[in-house]
Structure formats: structure tokens, C-alpha cells
């Protein structure tokens, strides 16, 4: 989060090269190979590299903007119930708060603002979603046969549904794909890829 003392502007690039575990990097790199290879062959290495980095950086910027909006909304709620900026900063840094405020604000919001402030975002998924959009626009009738759906589906149908599920998960907080996923980074990468 930009107001966190550990934030560095270079993280808009470096986050794409860090992952949360072996399966995370495996799925991202498989998707990059499967959907990026045809695009690189069509566009050439330099154009594809520019596109990939642009969608990843754009995904990080959009994700950060959404987090900033959510953070400020909760921060203003905390100020409205009478917390002082120093108390809020203590909550952000330590995760501790006076339990008396739970009468005025749900614990879920306190947890959410703490998570926004302290949880790093890593992975190339935003850039991958940009690649997915470019693949879907370039090869709309390509059939995608996925393990969990045994019937091949055209890219022009599958990719928008996938982005829609991420948007739904980001807005509602109900994640179909599991916890700890930066849904708005995925949506952001898709938006930049479309642009």
C-alpha cells in the first residue's frame, strides 16, 4: 500500500516477478506460455514484451487505486466514530485496537484496513489477464479445453466469463478461486490488455 513505509514505486514492476509459491508461478507461467506464445509469434518479441510489462504495471496501478479507495473509505469511517489518526496508525502497524470501538464499527472493517495496508501483492496474474484478453481478441474462436470443464469453449466466451467471475469476486468479497487473490489486479490487467 503506498502509505506503508515499506512501499517502493519499483514494486509496480517487481511484483510481476515474485510469486506466492510453486503452484502460483506454475499456473502463471503455463498461461504465459500457452496464451502468450501465439501473440509473441504474431507481434514479435519486443512488442509482446512491451505489452506484457504494460499490462502488468497497469494491473498493479489499478489494483492499488482500488485498494486506496477502499482504504480511504474505511479510514473515514474510523475517523467518523471518533478514532484519532494516531490510533488508526497504531492499528495499521500492530493490528491492535481498543475493543470498545467494536460497538461502533465491525471487526471485519478493522481487519480489512489492516490487510490492505500490510498485505503485499505479488504475481504476474494481472499481466496474464492482459495476455488472455489479447489472445481472445486475436483468436476469438480458438477452443480452450480445460481440465475442470471437459467441453472445449471458444476463447470469446470463456475469457469474458473468467474476467466477470473475478469482477464478481472483487466486488462481493466472495472468492470462487480461493483466498488471497488480487481480483482487481486481474480485472485491471484485462482492462489494460483491452486498451
Amino acid at each position: 500500500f503506498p502509505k506503508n513505509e515499506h512501499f517502493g514505486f519499483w514494486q509496480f514492476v517487481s511484483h510481476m516477478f515474485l510469486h506466492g509459491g510453486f503452484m502460483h508461478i506454475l499456473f502463471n507461467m503455463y498461461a504465459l506460455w500457452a496464451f502468450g506464445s501465439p501473440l509473441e509469434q504474431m507481434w514479435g518479441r519486443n512488442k509482446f514484451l512491451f505489452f506484457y510489462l504494460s499490462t502488468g504495471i497497469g494491473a498493479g496501478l489499478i489494483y492499488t487505486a482500488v485498494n486506496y479507495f477502499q482504504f480511504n473509505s474505511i479510514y473515514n469511517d474510523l475517523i467518523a466514530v471518533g478514532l484519532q489518526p494516531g490510533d488508526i496508525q497504531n492499528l495499521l502497524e500492530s493490528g491492535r485496537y481498543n475493543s470498545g470501538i467494536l460497538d461502533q464499527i465491525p471487526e471485519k472493517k478493522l481487519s480489512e484496513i489492516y490487510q490492505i495496508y500490510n498485505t503485499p501483492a505479488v504475481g504476474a496474474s494481472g499481466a496474464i489477464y492482459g495476455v488472455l484478453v489479447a489472445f481472445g481478441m486475436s483468436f476469438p474462436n480458438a477452443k480452450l479445453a480445460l481440465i475442470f470443464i471437459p467441453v472445449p469453449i471458444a476463447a470469446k466466451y470463456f475469457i469474458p466469463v473468467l474476467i466477470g467471475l473475478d469482477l464478481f469476486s472483487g466486488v462481493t468479497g466472495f472468492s470462487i478461486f480461493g483466498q488471497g487473490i488480487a481480483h482487481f489486479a486481474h480485472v485491471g490487467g484485462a482492462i489494460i490488455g483491452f486498451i
Side-chain angles (χ1 to χ4, degrees):
F1 189 73
K3 291 184 177 180
N4 188 309
E5 66 181 19
H6 301 293
F7 176 79
F9 67 90
W10 60 84
Q11 292 171 327
F12 287 115
V13 175
S14 65
H15 80 276
M16 292 183 283
F17 301 100
L18 303 169
H19 286 80
F22 178 73
M23 293 307 286
H24 189 202
I25 195 168
L26 178 70
F27 281 121
N28 277 337
M29 295 304 99
Y30 173 74
L32 179 60
W33 170 77
F35 299 105
S37 294
L39 295 173
E40 183 190 17
Q41 290 173 2
M42 184 171 64
W43 294 340
R45 182 188 69 210
N46 292 341
K47 185 174 180 182
F48 178 77
L49 184 60
F50 175 79
F51 177 82
Y52 179 77
L53 292 174
S54 298
T55 56
I57 292 167
L61 289 169
I62 289 173
Y63 177 71
T64 301
V66 169
N67 275 348
Y68 202 81
F69 174 77
Q70 291 173 334
F71 178 92
N72 283 332
S73 175
I74 298 170
Y75 189 91
N76 291 335
D77 290 346
L78 294 173
I79 293 292
V81 299
L83 262 70
Q84 298 299 313
D87 296 330
I88 297 171
Q89 191 62 36
N90 183 50
L91 162 69
L92 296 174
E93 291 173 3
S94 69
R96 290 188 229 118
Y97 53 87
N98 181 340
S99 61
I101 66 171
L102 294 177
D103 296 339
Q104 300 167 309
I105 194 149
E107 188 174 12
K108 181 180 178 185
K109 281 195 175 189
L110 299 174
S111 176
E112 187 177 343
I113 196 169
Y114 178 81
Q115 293 292 331
I116 291 169
Y117 187 80
N118 289 294
T119 304
V122 296
S125 302
I128 298 299
Y129 269 67
V131 168
L132 281 173
V133 167
F135 180 87
M137 292 176 72
S138 300
F139 307 101
N141 295 316
K143 300 293 185 191
L144 305 177
L146 304 165
I147 295 170
F148 53 91
I149 301 175
V151 178
I153 302 170
K156 65 184 173 187
Y157 301 122
F158 177 76
I159 294 169
V161 167
L162 187 63
I163 296 166
L165 288 173
D166 263 305
L167 183 59
F168 170 79
S169 295
V171 170
T172 65
F174 178 76
S175 183
I176 297 165
F177 305 113
Q179 297 303 314
I181 295 174
H183 297 289
F184 285 111
H186 295 174
V187 174
I191 290 168
I192 301 300
F194 178 77
I195 292 171

